[in-house]
């Protein structure tokens, strides 16, 4: 039996004149991602995207891939009826949905008639198909209000389709439709979630990771690549810029007061990230900060770290509890990797008594003992680019 996915666009249908551009990008994203899974024919008609599943392909894998492409509200996995007739619809429903009928106690039929030339209304189609299916599956009772199984019949211009109801798509907007941003990606739980949330809003991500060899190990770096790989199941291809950070941390430790260590370090991260953003056409930076979670994430601390860069800094986790962040991390499959026990550059030199209410003059005074520009330039020059 021929199977297809019917994908319905989400928010982009609201986009007026830009709609065509959005749809083109959505289709391009889907095709590129699907190419890793199966050789599917993909087309779009009347804001519905059709993914034809070849006989030899793994239909579950095709479905899983589609569910991770931002921009689709719902996805229905459907059988194509050999003909656009009621007999063909009934025969297809009987065969394709037999396993679902075997599990359900009640059912109803819902129909959509996209092809207005089809000689019956949707109500008539539902009644007729429902009556026939009730005879074919006498153990499953018709129930118009709370059915366990809803048989969906869609009569579209070229074909008729039968399926057991749509599943939620990834939602959001097509990757790239809102531009590109630099994601400060540590090995923790929060930053991959932050990246995912902003990618969902249509941002293409460029990962930026600060690496402090030998204080942090090769394994810690591999862990970050693994997180980027898991993110790329949602965001498509991604590059990670690995920034050598050891010298900067050693300089700060040597020349600045311990209580300011983390803040000055984070200001360096923002400066370097902005340089990366400039070079790679990023319009914003993204971090995994959450208000009050640690000493460097108080309001005054974030004012001090944000002050060194002029790009907008998106902090989508800012209002979230750890529990809420973890829930998303599990859903997007980054959690198990994030909790692997490798050290991060932030934890290596953590001060015993970090300053949670920093004053700008003190920070500036401390930084005056460092050659900030030279340190930033040297770090930027040493960046290693890894394509995930
Ligand atoms: P996460 O779980 O994302 O590591 P966290 O709660 O551990 O976050 P911090 O270590 O204070 O928080 O870091 C705050 C944010 O700074 C991170 O979410 C991340 O965006 C960025 N960041 C921290 N360390 C690094 C790093 N080594 N490389 C890149 N970005 C980093
Ligand atoms: Mg961290």
């Amino acid at each position: 039996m021929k199977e297809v996915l019917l994908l319905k666009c989400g928010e982009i249908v609201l986009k007026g004149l830009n709609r065509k551009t959005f749809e083109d990008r959505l289709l391009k994203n889907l095709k590129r991602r699907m190419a890793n899974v199966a050789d599917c024919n993909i087309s779009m008609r009347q804001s519905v995207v059709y993914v034809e599943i070849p006989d030899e392909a793994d239909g579950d894998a095709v479905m899983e891939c589609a569910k991770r492409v931002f921009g689709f509200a719902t996805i229905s996995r459907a059988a194509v009826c050999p003909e656009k007739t009621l007999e063909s619809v009934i025969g297809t429903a009987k065969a394709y949905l037999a396993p679902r009928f075997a599990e359900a106690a009640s059912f109803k039929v819902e129909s959509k008639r996209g092809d207005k030339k089809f000689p019956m209304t949707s109500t008539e189609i539902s009644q007729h198909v429902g009556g026939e299916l009730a005879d074919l599956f006498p153990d499953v009772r018709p129930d118009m209000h709370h059915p366990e199984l809803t048989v969906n019949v869609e009569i579209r211009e070229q074909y008729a389709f039968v399926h057991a109801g749509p599943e939620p798509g990834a939602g959001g907007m097509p990757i790239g439709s809102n531009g590109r941003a630099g994601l400060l990606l540590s090995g923790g739980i929060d930053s991959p979630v932050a990246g995912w949330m902003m990618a969902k809003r249509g941002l293409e991500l460029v990962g930026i990771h600060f690496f402090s060899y030998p204080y942090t190990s090769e394994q810690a770096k591999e862990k970050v690549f693994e997180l980027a790989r898991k993110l790329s199941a949602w965001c498509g291809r991604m590059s990670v810029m690995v920034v050598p950070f050891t010298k900067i941390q050693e300089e700060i430790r040597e020349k600045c007061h311990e209580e300011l260590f983390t803040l000055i370090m984070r200001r360096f991260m923002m400066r370097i990230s902005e340089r990366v953003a400039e070079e790679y056409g990023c319009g914003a930076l993204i971090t995994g900060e959450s208000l009050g979670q640690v000493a460097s994430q108080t309001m005054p601390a974030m004012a001090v770290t944000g002050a060194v860069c002029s790009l907008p800094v998106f902090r989508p986790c800012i209002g979230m509890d750890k529990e809420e962040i973890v829930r998303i991390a599990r859903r997007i499959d980054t959690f198990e990797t994030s909790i692997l026990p490798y050290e991060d550059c932030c934890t290596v030199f953590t001060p015993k008594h970090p300053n949670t209410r920093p004053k700008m003059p003190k920070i500036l005074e401390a930084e005056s003992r460092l050659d900030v520009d030279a340190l930033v330039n040297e770090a930027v020059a040493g960046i290693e680019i890894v394509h995930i």
Side-chain angles (χ1 to χ4, degrees):
M1 193 170 308
K2 258 197 101 44
E3 264 191 310
V4 294
L5 302 185
L6 306 175
L7 298 97
K8 315 251 161 107
C9 303
E11 215 167 315
I12 66 165
V13 293
L14 303 173
K15 291 291 162 197
L17 287 176
N18 288 332
R19 176 167 160 175
K20 177 84 175 69
T21 324
F22 273 68
E23 287 181 347
D24 288 349
R25 189 180 288 276
L26 183 59
L27 211 55
K28 206 171 99 193
N29 290 351
L30 177 68
K31 282 180 179 169
R32 191 188 296 140
R33 298 271 294 284
M34 213 43 103
N36 303 322
V37 179
D39 187 16
C40 302
N41 201 353
I42 299 177
S43 57
M44 184 175 219
R45 278 188 296 277
Q46 296 176 326
S47 286
V48 177
V49 174
Y50 296 81
V51 176
E52 296 169 34
I53 306 175
D55 293 337
E56 70 284 0
D58 176 354
D60 292 343
V62 171
M63 183 72 177
E64 281 313 303
C65 174
K67 278 175 148 177
R68 288 177 165 73
V69 178
F70 293 125
F72 293 110
T74 64
I75 306 175
S76 309
R77 183 170 169 180
V80 187
C81 304
E83 289 167 62
K84 243 170 80 171
T85 61
L86 284 188
E87 293 65 47
S88 187
V89 166
I90 294 158
T92 305
K94 179 187 170 199
Y96 187 59
L97 299 178
R100 308 295 282 259
F101 271 101
E103 285 172 358
S106 57
F107 85 104
K108 77 165 176 181
V109 177
E110 246 175 39
S111 307
K112 269 198 209 109
R113 189 178 54 133
D115 172 8
K116 297 300 172 198
K117 290 200 231 70
F118 195 78
M120 291 170 95
T121 66
S122 49
T123 314
E124 287 166 348
I125 297 167
S126 296
Q127 280 170 351
H128 185 87
V129 175
E132 295 288 322
L133 289 174
D135 290 344
L136 289 166
F137 298 99
D139 297 337
V140 188
R141 119 189 92 76
D143 178 344
M144 295 309 113
H145 301 293
H146 305 288
E148 286 181 21
L149 169 66
T150 301
V151 175
N152 288 255
V153 177
E154 299 195 27
I155 312 277
R156 298 194 162 265
E157 66 272 42
Q158 263 189 308
Y159 295 102
F161 303 95
V162 169
H163 62 84
E167 291 186 41
M173 299 165 92
I175 293 281
S177 63
N178 275 320
R180 190 181 293 152
L183 168 66
L184 281 78
L185 185 60
S186 68
I189 296 168
D190 307 331
S191 47
V193 169
W196 180 84
M197 287 172 80
M198 296 318 299
K200 185 165 187 253
R201 295 308 300 164
L203 288 182
E204 187 187 328
L205 304 180
V206 174
I208 305 167
H209 177 66
F210 295 90
F211 182 54
S212 306
Y213 191 79
Y215 300 106
T216 59
S217 61
E218 281 298 323
Q219 285 164 306
K221 186 158 85 173
E222 274 308 314
K223 172 182 167 181
V224 172
F225 296 154
E226 182 58 19
L227 286 171
R229 231 167 268 133
K230 298 220 157 160
L231 276 179
S232 71
W234 300 88
C235 313
R237 58 186 173 178
M238 186 174 160
S239 303
V240 178
M241 311 288 151
V242 181
V243 185
F245 209 47
T246 314
K247 181 161 174 199
I248 290 175
Q249 291 193 304
E250 286 175 342
E251 283 275 304
I252 304 173
R253 184 179 54 180
E254 207 171 296
K255 296 182 180 157
C256 304
H257 195 287
E258 188 196 304
E259 68 161 15
L260 299 177
F261 179 88
T262 309
L263 285 170
I264 293 175
M265 176 191 78
R266 295 200 47 76
R267 280 162 62 87
F268 272 97
M269 286 187 180
M270 300 312 279
R271 286 186 189 104
I272 294 167
S273 299
E274 191 159 70
R275 289 276 295 274
V276 172
E278 223 166 74
E279 174 132 5
Y280 291 92
C282 301
L285 298 175
I286 304 166
T287 77
E289 288 161 305
S290 161
L291 189 63
Q293 195 191 73
V294 289
S296 58
Q297 294 172 25
T298 63
M299 205 158 43
M302 279 188 286
V304 159
T305 45
V308 291
C309 73
S310 53
L311 284 178
V313 180
F314 296 149
R315 301 176 171 95
C317 300
I318 196 72
M320 293 165 78
D321 295 348
K322 197 72 184 187
E323 244 179 63
E324 296 170 297
I325 299 171
V326 165
R327 206 178 305 137
I328 296 181
R330 287 188 192 280
R331 174 168 164 231
I332 66 174
D333 194 33
T334 53
F335 182 74
E336 295 301 326
T337 306
S338 289
I339 59 172
L340 292 173
Y342 307 117
E343 63 298 319
D344 178 66
C345 74
C346 294
T347 48
V348 178
F349 300 100
T350 310
K352 275 188 223 70
H353 303 289
N355 189 333
T356 55
R357 259 174 272 167
K359 297 274 182 299
M360 200 55 123
K362 263 179 104 177
I363 299 272
L364 294 177
E365 189 275 317
E367 282 180 355
S368 71
R369 284 174 241 154
L370 306 167
D371 190 344
V372 173
D373 289 344
L375 286 168
V376 168
N377 287 339
E378 193 183 334
V380 170
I383 285 176
E384 175 200 358
I385 306 175
V386 178
H387 300 286
I388 302 295

